[in-house]
Structures are given as C-alpha cells and as structure tokens.
C-alpha cells in the first residue's frame, strides 16, 4: 500500500498541473490512500496494551501485580490479580480488534475501488489509492466519487453540465447541477485531454463544503473557478453518461475528510462521580494500609521481637519500622478489591444492554419510513433519565417538513382557504365547528395535462384570475416557475419529477405547475417553461444564489421579446425594505396578509421583480465577471453587486406554505412538561409564528399568567424588557401569595427570588434581541428570566445562536441538556448539548450522523426519556450501590482480621475465593439487575411523569448514597467477621474436638458472605425474570460446587501443593454449629435492612412505591373501578390551537404554520399534589445551584394517579 496521509507543513495555496505527476509530487500532496484503522497484526498487541494502560485503573492493577511478584510483601498468589486483569484486558482487546477489523475492511473496500485514470493518453484501470493529485479521471453514470475532490473538465451533457447527488455530504437526496467552465467543456475525447496542461492555483485544503475559490491558467489566459465547477468526494454522478475531472484534493485533504473532525467525547455525571469516588476509595485504601502498617510496626516492636527464635523476620527485615513499611504494601495488595477492577467493564456491559433495548424497541419503530430507533453511543444511556432542559428545532422535528402551498397574496388580494376536515371530524383546522355538508371541492386542474394530481387547492378564484389573464397573477406564477434551482426529470412524456433543494422550493414550483406555468427543463443558459400550454424558453443571464446572510434568491432572465427582468423571492424582512417607494400602499396590505399567514403558522416568502435596461445590465454583467475573477475578497465583491441590483423592485405578492405538525407532538410536550422537563423551542420563524408554535404544541396556554415578548434592538432595550419581565413575575408572586406561603418560600433560602414566583409565565425572544442577551454582561439576566418561565421560544435564531443558548444553560445550570433536530443547521446544537438526538426526516442525515440517539418522530422522545432513560438511570444507580456494598463487605473483613493476626497481612479467605468472588460468584446477578431491573412497568412510567424527577434531582446515586452503601458494607463486614470469630472461640465439633481452625473459619466466613450478598441482591431486585433467578441461585450453586471441588481428593492428587486442605469444606459444613453461625450472621445482616425498608415504605414512601401500591389496589377493586369509569366525567379539554411554526431551508424562508391537532388526551390526569419530599429536595437543589435562574413552579406540578 502506498504512503497514506504523511504529515507536512500547512499550505498557503495549492498548485496543481494537469497530467504532470512529477511536477505535482514535489509539493508532497497527500496520497489518495486512506487509513482509518489503528492496528495491524504486528502492532495490535503492544499498541492496544499501551492504550489500555493509559487507563488509571488498569495501571493501578498492573502495579499491584508487580507488587505481588515481590515475595517479601506478597501474601497472595499473583493469579488473584492477573486473572481478573487479563479478563478485563482481553474483553477490551477483543472489542477493539473487532472494531479495527471493520475499519480495515472499510479501508480496503474504498482504497481498492477501480477508477479510469488518463495515463499517457490512454484510460487505464487503477485502484483509487494509486490516484494522484493532477491526474485526470473519467467517471460514469451512477458512479461514486470515492476518494478525491475533482475539478469538472467536461461531460457528455451539453455545455459541460453534469448532475450529482450529495447525500453523503449534506444529507440531501435531491439532484444538483455542476458545470465545467466553457474553455474545458470542449475537451471531450482522451486525446484532447491528454494534451491539456492547465495549472490550477486555488485555496488550500479546508472544510467549507459550499465554497471553493481558484483560478485556472491555460494558454496564457486565466479563468475563475467556483464551487459550481467542483465534484466533491462523497457525491454520486446521476443522469450523466460520463464526465472527466482533474484531481485537486486527494485522501485526507478532501473537504469531506476535512469535515470529519473528532466529535467531543461526552461523559455522564455518573461517570464523573464514579471517577471521584474511586479516588476517594483509593485514599481510603491508603489510610487502611497506613493504620495496619503502624499496627504491624508496634506489634513487632512490642510483641514480635520476643518471638524471634521461632518467628524470625524475613530476610532483609532488620527493624519493626521496615516490617511495617513492607506490611503497608502487603495490605495494599490484600485490600485492593475495594477498588473494583471489574467495575468499568461491568458498567460498559450494562450500557451496551440498555442500548440494545433502545434499538430493539418496536414501539419506537416507524413502519412508514422503516426506521428504528438507534442508540449511536453506549455511554450516555443513564443520563437520558436526568434531562431537565430540551432544546428543539421546529421544522422537521416538531413538524413533518412536508410543504403544501396553502395561501398566497397577489397584488393586494389574498387567495386560498384551509383544507376542510376529514369525514368524522367535528372541527375545522382552526378549531371552529364545521357544519356538515360544508365541504367545498378542490380546484379542478383538469385543463392542464401537466398538472400534478397530488396537488390540491381550495380557492377557485385564483385559477379564474389566471384564466382571465391577470398580469400580476401571471407574473406571480412566472416568477415561481423561473426563480429556483429545481432540477426537472421527465421519465415519460408529461410525467415530470422535480428534484428540489428544499421542500419549500418544490412546493412553490409545483404550485406554479398546476396553475399553468410548468417548469419543464433547464440548461446552464436557458429555462423552458410551458405557460398555459405554450412552450417559452427564457435566456438565463444570472443566478444570484441564496445564502444565510442574503436570505433571498434572484434570477435575471431575458424573455423571447428581449426584455431583461430580475425576479426575486426571499424573507419579508429583507425584501420589503428593497422595494421601490411606489409600493408603499401595496406593501402595507401585503404585510397585513403576511401577519395573518404567520398567525396561522404558515411559512411565508415575498416575491418581487425589476426590469433592467440593456445598457445597465451590460455594465453590471461586466463588473460581475471581474468580481468573479478577483483573486481576493471575491465573495464580498459579488455580495455588493448583488445588493446593488436587488433594489427598487416592484412587489408582486407573497406565498404561504403549510408545514404539517408531526403526530403526537402536543401530547409529548405536555407529558414531558409534567415530568418537570423544560422545553425550549429554537426556531428561525418570525415572532407571530413562534407564538402560534407554542399554542399548538401546548407549550403556551390561555391559563398562563403572561407571555413576555422581547424584541429590543439595542442592549439597553433588551435589558429593560428583561428587567420588566422579572419585576412583573415578582410583583405577581407577592400579590398572589398570602403572608404564610410567601414567608415559607423565603425561608427556604432560595438563591433567586424568582424561584418563589407564583403563576406560569413564558418568554418569546427574537434573534436580534437574543444576540444582545447572550453577551457576557447580560447572559445571566437572560438566563435567570428564562429559567423562571415555564416555556421559552427563541425565534429567528441562527445555528450558532442555538449552540450558544445550549452552552449558556450548561454553563450556569447544574442540569442535563438534550438537543433534538433534523437538519444540518441543528448539528452545532446537537453536539453542544449533553445529549444529542437526531430526527431522520426530510432534511437529510447530517443531524443523525452528529447525534447520540436517533429516531424518526418527535413523539418517540417521550418513550426514550420516561422509559429507557429512567430505567437506565435506575438500573445503573442500583448496580453501583450494590457493587460498592458487596466489595466493601468482602474486603473489610481483612481489615478486622489484621488486629487478630499480629498485622501480618494474612488473608481470611482462600486465595481462590478472592480470585473468583468478583468474576464468578457475584458478577452475573448484579449484571442481571443492572440490565433488566424495573421499579414500575413501562406503561406506568409513561402514565406517571413525576416518576422521572428523582433522576433530575440525582437522588438514587450521589455522595450521600455512596456513603450509605459503604457504611452498610462495613457494617456487614463487622458482623461477618466477629460473629463467626466469637462462635469459633469456644465451639466444638460433634466429636468434641475444637472447631476453630483457620480453614474452617475461612469457609464459614466466605459462605456467610456469599449467602448474605445473594439475599441482599434479591431484596434489591424489583423486577424478577428467569435470568435473575438463574444467575442468583446459579451463582450460589456455583460457589458450593467450586468450594467442594477445591477441597476434593481428586484435585489434591493432581496438585498436592496447591490444594492441601482435603475434605475441609465437607467437614466444616457438616457441623450444625457452622450452619447456625451462618444463619445467625445472615439474619443479623439482613433483618435491619428489611426493617428499615419496611418502615420507610410505610412512613415515607417514594413515588414509585405509591404507584405500585396503587396498581395493587386497582387489581383488587377491578370491578369497582370499571363501574367508576362508566360514571366518570367527560373530559373538558378542548382541541389544539391553530398553530404557527418555524424557518425554512437554511434561513431562506421565514414563517410558520397552522395545523389542527387531535385532542390532547390528558383528561385522565386527575390533579394530585406532588409529594412533599420531591418538592423539598428540589428546593434544596435550587439552593445549591447557581443564581442564574432556576426551575419554577415545581410545587405546582400535578401527577396523574
């Protein structure tokens, strides 16, 4: 394999000469060979071991293994550490090897793809990894551009056109057009291309997928190059028989590879806490070692020195102090199991199981799209059960991103009626009662043989205006048929298929098509439109393309009559200020229509045109050509020229497109709100649309005290509006609360007085105001105000602002954040949040590729959090509590034994028991609990959203719970040692012989320990499966089987030096005294735990206990409840509000939409005050949190019972 991606100095510019490998190789450009694999057969073992020992835990146990090889300090055999260490390293190595195998396989598949390379005037088959910068390559239809970024030289299509799909680049499945520059488009055969020796000087490798700047020098002329001339790695050639391209960037220098930077590694709060606790445990281990070492030194100095004749010190030990020093290391070895080596591996196994449960969940599978839910990471599952803030995109996330041309305004007249309800509906889409029989027929487009049969419109007056030849209506649809970048594909005569860059654009062109202005085909210089049956070809003079700054798109065309006209469509805020003053009255009327459409949640665009004089256009075109060839600041020059020509335009009207709301969105938001999850919508829509979004999604309700709208254009205005909002909230709180309740709230010592507000508020803020609110000196004020509100909607925001809002909450709030979106503009927000969720929708797969979890519909978020997230958090917490408990109970016995063995670092247990305890006797039961346990069934998790709150408050595993676990473990170890010790002091066998001996004591303590921890995990298990039963009782059976085997005659005969105590287990466990001792130890260890849990359940039950009890009562009173249900009151909740929504593709189309929703099925949520312990802890958490805002209204939440 050739050299792969060698390191070299950064480039300032790239120089590439065609058909000149020797010339290009002197620049040492990267080769086309890619290597994503990390290992090969020779390097795997050393490199993988080196990487694994970067982990502190693995290094620590390697250090212990080395200590155990020193005879003076080791009282345990080396295999007690090496067996679990090797097991952990092996499991990790197998996983790494498997992953790297697939990387090798992928690399080989890509590198060995065949390509046609022009070498010596002849096309030759070459592997992709052998392609070099400067080579000319031939691509054929449907071929994948696998490894290089190419400059398009020529193609089989006229004018050097070719069509590509860029799904792997930007997730868009629509076709795009690329074009060769005219001077190379004529190079159609290999002989001409072989003589081509042009040199390209261009920008160095970068990650900007939508930009390219360079110049071609050939035959003493220079030609400007842009992104429209490039075929990037990852695209697929479509509808083009062949094309030739010059390799500009290869391998890791391609724009796709430049974009594949490493995603920030996310860790859960439990991970961070675990690392802290392990350090504490290690410190505790050192303290125990110091205590025992001091004890050893004192004992040797006071007592041991008197017995040197028959208990001499080891060779090299000359003082009690040195004996204590060696004893310290010996006890570090013996007590090392308080730092469990299997902890991290067990955690990863449990997380992997939880991830598979998400992947296998049929209730999160979308049959329509054949898309299952996918956990794209295994490290964040339990954090799904701790989310407090959700940041959601709108288009494609809350809505379907399926656009329908709904209304329009032409020359001051508004056209279009909303679609009527389906049969059986009793309300129209605006929530008004619909009379039976009030069902107009859709407009009949049968006059147009090219009409799309799926398109429907309900206002026949617009079609009548078209047929009557209304100039403005004709120009309106002519603009829609000309001003776009849609590609048309005609599969058969009259059967048109449009490929649009965005659903909005497709909807507009389809509307024009049905009203008689049919976009038929395009070339680089022409657009053909069938206008009311007559084919007309317009000369395409220029395309002034859309971007996020311009927020508009224009085309300049020449009609067959020779008239030059500019057609423009874009956001109302941009276009209305660029109109000719004569449009003032029309602009006012159109603005009213726009506000009306936005109020209904429709997405709007403004349309305008301008006639250009021939002389002006000629002069402008020349300046445009010079700007396009400028070596520097090309984009700035073009932007100024675009801005110049797009002024003094004549207003035509506006379009309104409906974006349908996804099924189950209001219900999902309502349920998540009841779970005390705050949902912020970050949208690019205008203010009116954003407010309607809130009402439609049930984020905003009529019952709210007030909805604050922040629209300030300056820092002072924004600060004043935020201040007034805070004052209103505090004033209302003081007036509503009586003296007692208000004082009670003040006495809780909340960090912010806003946390004590009464009532529900919402905040809507515009993008320009948000830019000021996010400044360093105001961000805390903004966050404090926003967090005191029940709902927050940020409208007209940019992708960067989305990420900044998420980062702000992460910075000041001790809360887990989740971002969910479906488009490329959501990627930064998804990567910034603690958890990123991608919706696989209409806007491609970029959001999915950047996400941690993905599915196809927003409503699945409810199940992801309330079921999988809550269960994952519960299981992980119970696993960790039990894991630390059992290890302390096991290890601390050695500590107590040290005081009775002269601090000689002697172990209580047999060394084989020490080796197998964590990997055989107790590993599988705790794994089963960590993977399968439940406190309540999944239906109840969805039914009772308040069950989610313990995760948000981090109640189930924290420093307090950790100390309780280790205290229980220490308590168990004390009883485990001292009860058998006290019994064995005077006990005798059945034959009268003394019972006490070291091996019998070890067997008794070990058996007691295994039984006690098995009973304990039985008590901790809330959901029993066959696997739990098998693992718990199977582990007990395995213990006794191994115990009797190790004390058997057979093993003694085979390994007499290793298994010396023949028959000890059988003899010990045959004594009734031993079993009574074991039973007494188990009872004394377990009964206090059972009693405590019983009293807690009776006196201070948790919410899950109440839910379980409620279900038991319901089962017993099933008949009575059935009768009660028949007599129950009818739900009084009304249907969803008419609702508006968010931005269009990128930020080109700013608007929203209205969609009637199904009635919110929450009438069965009977009001029930949340339990006081949750409220108290939430207030305490507020005290510990930052002063920058805090959740409000927690005490007012209700629980469905």
């Amino acid at each position: 394999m050739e050299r792969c991606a060698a390191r070299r100095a950064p480039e300032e510019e790239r120089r590439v000469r065609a058909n000149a490998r020797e010339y290009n190789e002197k620049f040492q450009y990267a080769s086309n060979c890619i290597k994503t694999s990390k290992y090969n057969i020779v390097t795997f073992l050393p490199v993988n071991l080196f990487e694994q020992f970067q982990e502190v835990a693995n290094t620590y146990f390697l250090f212990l293994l080395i200590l155990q090889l020193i005879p003076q300090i080791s009282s345990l055999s080396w295999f007690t550490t090496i067996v679990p260490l090797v097991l952990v390293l092996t499991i990790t190595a197998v996983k790494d090897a498997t992953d790297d195998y697939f990387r090798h396989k992928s690399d080989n598949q890509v590198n060995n793809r065949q390509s046609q390379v022009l070498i010596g005037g002849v096309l030759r088959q070459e592997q992709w990894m052998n392609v070099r910068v400067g080579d000319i390559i031939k691509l054929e239809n449907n071929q994948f551009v696998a490894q290089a970024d190419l400059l398009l030289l020529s193609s089989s299509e006229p004018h050097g056109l070719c069509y590509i799909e860029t799904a792997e680049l930007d997730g868009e499945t629509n076709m795009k057009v690329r074009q060769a520059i005219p001077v190379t488009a004529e190079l159609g055969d290999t002989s001409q291309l072989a003589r081509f020796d042009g040199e390209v000087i261009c920008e160095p490798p970068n990650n900007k997928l939508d930009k390219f700047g360079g110049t071609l020098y050939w035959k003493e002329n220079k030609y400007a190059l842009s992104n429209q001339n490039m075929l990037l790695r990852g695209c697929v050639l479509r509808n083009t028989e062949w094309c030739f391209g010059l390799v500009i960037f290869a391998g890791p220098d391609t724009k796709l590879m430049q974009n594949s930077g490493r995603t920030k590694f996310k860790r859960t709060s439990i991970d961070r806490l675990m690392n802290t606790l392990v350090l504490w445990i290690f410190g505790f281990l050192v303290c125990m070692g110091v205590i025992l070492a001091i004890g050893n030194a004192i004992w040797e100095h006071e007592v041991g020195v008197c017995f040197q004749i028959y208990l001499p010190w080891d060779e090299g030990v000359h003082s009690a102090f040195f004996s204590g020093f060696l004893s310290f290391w010996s006890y570090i070895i013996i007590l090392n199991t308080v730092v469990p080596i299997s902890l991290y591996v067990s955690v990863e196994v449990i997380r992997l199981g939880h991830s598979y449960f998400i992947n296998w969940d049929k209730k999160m599978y979308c049959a329509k799209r054949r898309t299952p839910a996918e956990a794209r990471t295994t490290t964040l599952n339990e954090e799904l059960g701790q989310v407090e803030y959700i940041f959601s995109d709108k288009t494609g996330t809350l809505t379907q991103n399926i656009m329908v041309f709904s209304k329009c305004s032409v020359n001051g007249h508004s056209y279009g009626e909303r679609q009527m309800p389906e049969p059986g509906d009793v309300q129209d889409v605006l929530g008004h009662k619909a009379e039976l029989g009030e069902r107009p027929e859709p407009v009949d487009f049968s006059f147009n043989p090219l009409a799309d049969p799926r398109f429907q419109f309900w206002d026949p007056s617009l079609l009548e205006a078209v047929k009557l030849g209304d100039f403005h209506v004709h120009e309106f649809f002519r603009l829609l048929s000309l001003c776009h970048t849609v590609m048309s594909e005609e599969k058969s005569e009259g059967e048109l298929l449009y490929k649009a860059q965005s659903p909005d654009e497709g909807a507009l062109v389809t509307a024009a098509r049905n009203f008689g202005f049919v976009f038929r085909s395009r070339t680089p210089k022409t657009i053909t439109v069938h206008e009311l049956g007559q084919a007309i070809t317009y000369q395409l003079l220029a395309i002034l393309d859309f971007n996020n700054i311009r927020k508009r798109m224009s085309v300049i065309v020449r009609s067959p009559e020779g008239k030059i006209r500019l057609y423009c469509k874009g956001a109302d805020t941009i276009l209305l200020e660029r109109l000719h003053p004569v449009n003032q009255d029309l602009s006012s009327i159109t603005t009213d229509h726009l506000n009306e459409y936005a109020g209904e949640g429709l997405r709007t665009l403004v349309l305008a045109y301008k006639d250009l004089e021939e002389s002006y256009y000629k002069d402008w075109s020349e300046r445009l050509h010079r700007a396009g060839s400028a070596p520097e600041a090309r984009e700035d020059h073009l932007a100024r020229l675009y801005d110049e020509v797009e002024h003094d335009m004549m207003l035509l009207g506006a379009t309104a497109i409906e974006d349908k709301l996804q099924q189950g969105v209001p219900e999902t938001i309502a349920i998540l709100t009841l779970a005390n999850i705050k949902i912020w919508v970050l949208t690019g829509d205008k203010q009116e649309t954003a407010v309607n979004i809130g009402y439609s999604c049930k984020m905003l309700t009529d019952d709210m005290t007030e909805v604050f709208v922040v629209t300030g254009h300056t820092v002072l205005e924004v600060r004043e509006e935020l201040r007034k909002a805070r004052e209103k909230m505090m004033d209302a709180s003081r007036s509503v609360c009586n003296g007692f309740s208000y004082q009670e709230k003040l006495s809780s010592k909340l960090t912010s007085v806003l946390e004590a507000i009464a009532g529900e508020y919402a905040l809507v803020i515009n993008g320009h105001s948000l830019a000021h609110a996010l400044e360093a000196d105001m961000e805390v004020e903004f966050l404090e105000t926003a967090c005191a509100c029940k709902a927050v909607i940020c409208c007209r925001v940019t992708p960067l602002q989305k990420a900044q809002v998420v980062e702000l909450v992460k910075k000041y709030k001790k809360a887990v954040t989740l971002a969910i979106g479906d488009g490329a503009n959501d990627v930064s927000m998804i990567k910034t949040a603690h958890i990123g969720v991608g919706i696989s929708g209409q806007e491609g797969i970029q959001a999915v590729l950047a996400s941690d979890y993905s599915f196809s519909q927003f409503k699945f978020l409810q199940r992801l959090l309330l079921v999988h997230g809550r269960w994952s958090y519960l299981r992980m917490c119970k696993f960790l509590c039990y894991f630390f408990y059992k290890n302390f109970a096991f290890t601390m016995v050695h500590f107590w034994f040290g005081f009775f063995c002269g601090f000689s670092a002697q172990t209580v247990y047999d060394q084989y028991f020490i080796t197998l305890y964590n990997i055989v006797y107790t590993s599988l039961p705790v794994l089963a609990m960590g993977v399968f346990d439940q406190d309540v069934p999944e239906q109840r998790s969805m039914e009772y959203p308040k069950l989610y709150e313990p995760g948000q408050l981090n109640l189930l595993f924290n420093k307090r719970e950790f100390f309780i676990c280790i205290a229980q473990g220490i308590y168990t170890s004390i009883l485990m040692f001292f009860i058998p010790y006290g019994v064995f002091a005077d006990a005798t066998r059945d034959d009268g012989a003394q019972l006490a001996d070291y091996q019998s004591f070890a067997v008794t303590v070990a058996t007691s320990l295994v039984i006690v921890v098995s009973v304990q995990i039985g008590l901790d298990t809330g959901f029993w499966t066959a696997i739990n039963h098998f693992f718990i009782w199977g582990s007990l059976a395995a213990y006794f089987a191994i115990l009797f085997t190790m004390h058997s005659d057979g093993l003694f005969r085979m390994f007499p030096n290793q298994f010396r105590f023949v028959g000890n287990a059988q003899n010990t466990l045959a004594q009734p005294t031993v079993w009574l001792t074991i039973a007494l130890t188990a009872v004394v260890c377990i009964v206090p735990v059972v009693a405590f849990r019983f009293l807690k359940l009776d006196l201070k039950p948790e919410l899950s206990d109440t839910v379980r009890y409620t279900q038991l009562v319901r089962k017993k009173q099933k008949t009575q409840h059935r009768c009660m249900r028949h007599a129950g009151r009818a739900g009084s909740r009304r249907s969803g509000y008419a609702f508006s929504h968010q931005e269009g593709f990128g930020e080109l189309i700013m608007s929203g939409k209205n969609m009637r929703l199904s009635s919110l099925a929450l009438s069965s949520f009977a009001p029930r005050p949340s339990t006081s312990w949750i409220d108290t802890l939430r207030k305490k958490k507020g005290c510990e949190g930052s002063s920058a805002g805090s959740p409000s209204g927690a005490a007012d939440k209700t629980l469905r019972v």
Side-chain angles (χ1 to χ4, degrees), residues 979-991:
I979 290 178
Y981 185 84
V983 171
F984 273 51
D986 299 314
T988 59
R989 296 179 181 273
D990 292 340
D991 57 6

Side-chain angles (χ1 to χ4, degrees), residues 1182-1195:
C1183 295
E1184 297 169 359
S1186 69
S1187 61
S1190 45
S1192 64

Side-chain angles (χ1 to χ4, degrees), residues 868-931:
H868 292 288
R870 202 182 70 81
W871 277 353
S872 294
Y873 174 73
L874 169 77
R875 292 162 177 168
M876 185 60 69
C877 292
K878 294 181 75 171
F879 162 80
L880 291 172
C881 288
Y882 177 79
F883 204 96
F884 287 120
Y885 154 77
K886 75 179 182 69
N887 275 65
F888 269 81
F890 165 64
T891 306
M892 290 300 293
V893 173
H894 294 302
F895 182 78
W896 312 123
F897 185 55
F899 291 89
F900 296 89
C901 68
F903 305 97
S904 59
Q906 179 64 41
T907 61
V908 176
Y909 312 112
D910 176 83
Q911 59 186 2
Y912 295 103
F913 179 81
I914 294 174
T915 304
L916 299 176
Y917 177 77
N918 268 322
I919 63 176
V920 176
Y921 301 149
T922 61
S923 61
L924 294 180
V926 70
L927 282 177
M929 181 180 71
V931 173

Side-chain angles (χ1 to χ4, degrees), residues 362-367 371-373 662-664 668 820 839 854-866 868 942:
K362 292 183 178 179
K363 294 182 180 179
M364 296 173 67
Y365 175 78
C366 180
T371 305
Q662 284 192 16
Q663 181 184 3
T668 299
I820 179 169
I839 299 287
S854 67
F855 40 72
S856 61
Q857 295 185 39
F858 181 84
K859 66 178 182 180
F860 294 147
L861 184 62
Q862 176 183 349
R863 185 170 178 83
L864 181 71
L865 298 184
L866 300 189
H868 292 288
M942 305 272 281

Side-chain angles (χ1 to χ4, degrees), residues 926-1046:
V926 70
L927 282 177
M929 181 180 71
V931 173
F932 299 108
D933 200 48
Q934 303 173 16
D935 56 347
V936 296
E938 61 181 68
Q939 299 89 344
R940 304 302 170 225
S941 294
M942 305 272 281
E943 226 175 285
Y944 300 90
K946 282 288 184 181
L947 289 169
Y948 191 79
E949 290 196 2
Q952 297 171 324
L953 297 169
N954 202 22
L955 297 181
L956 302 186
F957 186 75
N958 48 45
K959 293 172 183 176
R960 176 177 174 271
E961 292 296 321
F962 168 73
F963 285 119
I964 291 174
C965 293
I966 64 171
Q968 184 186 354
I970 293 172
Y971 164 78
T972 301
S973 70
I974 292 173
L975 299 177
M976 202 75 64
F977 175 78
F978 286 101
I979 290 178
Y981 185 84
V983 171
F984 273 51
D986 299 314
T988 59
R989 296 179 181 273
D990 292 340
D991 57 6
Q994 181 70 26
L995 179 60
D997 65 72
Y998 171 73
Q999 281 297 318
S1000 296
F1001 181 74
V1003 169
T1004 303
V1005 174
T1007 305
S1008 301
L1009 176 65
V1010 172
I1011 291 175
V1012 167
V1013 297
S1014 297
V1015 173
Q1016 181 66 47
I1017 199 170
L1019 294 174
D1020 289 346
T1021 301
F1023 182 73
W1024 286 85
T1025 66
I1027 296 175
N1028 293 87
H1029 282 288
F1030 178 76
F1031 282 171
I1032 291 176
W1033 313 127
S1035 295
L1036 268 175
Y1039 164 72
F1040 285 109
I1042 294 172
L1043 177 67
F1044 290 130
T1045 301
M1046 287 195 301

Side-chain angles (χ1 to χ4, degrees), residues 350 714 987 1036:
I350 291 172
T714 66
L1036 268 175

